[in-house]
Amino acid sequence: EAGVAQSPRYKIIEKRQSVAFWCNPISGHATLYWYQQILGQGPKLLIQFQNNGVVDDSQLPKDRFSAERLKGVDSTLKIQPAKLEDSAVYLCASSARLAGPTYEQYFGPGTRLTVT
Amino acid sequence: KQEVTQIPAALSVPEGENLVLNCSFTDSAIYNLQWFRQDPGKGLTSLLLIQSSQREQTSGRLNASLDKSSGRSTLYIAASQPGDSATYLCAVHYGQNFVFGPGTRLSVLP
């Protein structure tokens, strides 16, 4: 079974530029998550999709971040314009329902963003 | 507010030691709890998942326990090896929302 795919793996941009990240979840996984992980911290949820609908985007800085999941499969996360504090690893995950309310998450390798 | 903490933040042990990593959560109305491993520059790899009705799960040298009433989970690693060096994160599952702890950075010295 193929895992969660993300690209690019690394990106360096200057502040005020824009950047986009791409994620392809595990086939058949309806739920997709984008997390931001700052060095030394645990992942923080930015947005969660169920199929192509948004379940939770309460921690997404909507003035500069946007995300979409067209057709309920691939997803893109965009930052425009980027700030220095956006430097982090952006992780994509998808989840499978095991039984009842139990879901297990699977993560991609992440995209390391450096804003200079 | 649902918060997850992990103690210690960092741990360094000689090879062969048994060790325990701790995870605490404030809201005990969890669905399940998942332990992950993260190597530097990599994504998260799932180690163990404990459903809310379970007390523990085992995989090889790893054993995870869950005490919902006290809001705690522990990850026990037996006979540690240098290859176990990584950051270990716990994630508590509420509904379809996962709340992560900050992680414990483990170094196993040869």
Side-chain angles (χ1 to χ4, degrees):
Chain A
E1 178 182 77
V4 177
Q6 289 188 248
S7 68
R9 290 296 315 278
Y10 306 92
K11 190 74 176 180
I12 301 174
I13 62 173
E14 296 181 351
K15 59 183 179 183
R16 291 186 289 274
Q17 287 186 327
S18 62
V19 65
F21 312 128
W22 173 82
C23 173
N24 180 243
I26 293 173
S27 178
H29 284 194
T31 307
L32 184 148
Y33 311 78
W34 282 103
Y35 290 90
Q36 179 192 60
Q37 187 178 25
I38 293 172
L39 187 65
Q41 299 181 17
K44 183 186 82 171
L45 179 70
L46 292 175
I47 189 167
Q48 177 184 338
F49 291 95
Q50 178 76 18
N51 296 309
N52 60 349
V54 176
V55 174
D56 183 355
D57 64 355
S58 57
Q59 298 190 88
L60 185 74
K62 297 181 184 63
D63 57 335
R64 298 184 300 107
F65 286 65
S66 65
E68 60 181 9
R69 190 183 184 197
L70 299 177
K71 301 180 181 179
V73 181
D74 293 6
S75 177
T76 57
L77 175 69
K78 297 180 181 177
I79 307 175
Q80 182 179 15
K83 293 185 176 181
L84 294 176
E85 59 261 36
D86 298 332
S87 294
V89 175
Y90 291 84
L91 296 163
C92 179
S94 64
S95 67
R97 186 171 183 172
L98 298 181
T102 298
Y103 289 79
E104 185 169 13
Q105 279 195 320
Y106 299 84
F107 280 80
T111 297
R112 182 176 297 278
L113 173 66
T114 302
V115 182
T116 62
Chain B
K1 183 180 179 182
Q2 297 160 339
E3 293 184 346
V4 179
T5 56
Q6 291 187 245
I7 294 173
L11 181 63
S12 183
V13 299
E15 182 177 3
E17 275 204 5
N18 303 324
L19 56 99
V20 175
L21 308 181
N22 298 288
C23 172
S24 298
F25 45 93
T26 54
D27 184 348
S28 61
I30 74 171
Y31 280 42
N32 48 253
L33 186 145
Q34 198 167 354
W35 281 94
F36 292 89
R37 168 185 174 139
Q38 186 173 31
D39 293 286
K42 302 287 181 64
L44 280 66
T45 301
S46 180
L47 298 173
L48 290 165
L49 182 148
I50 310 177
Q51 298 181 37
S52 61
S53 58
Q54 298 173 324
R55 297 284 299 193
E56 64 180 330
Q57 280 285 344
T58 298
S59 176
R61 294 182 293 108
L62 306 179
N63 175 275
S65 66
L66 175 64
D67 185 342
K68 279 182 55 177
S69 60
S70 66
R72 294 179 184 174
S73 176
T74 61
L75 179 66
Y76 175 83
I77 303 177
S80 58
Q81 302 171 358
D84 295 331
S85 298
T87 296
Y88 291 81
L89 299 111
C90 68
V92 182
H93 175 202
Y94 298 101
Q96 284 204 63
N97 182 27
F98 289 79
V99 180
F100 281 82
T104 293
R105 190 171 66 253
L106 173 65
S107 296
V108 181
L109 307 175

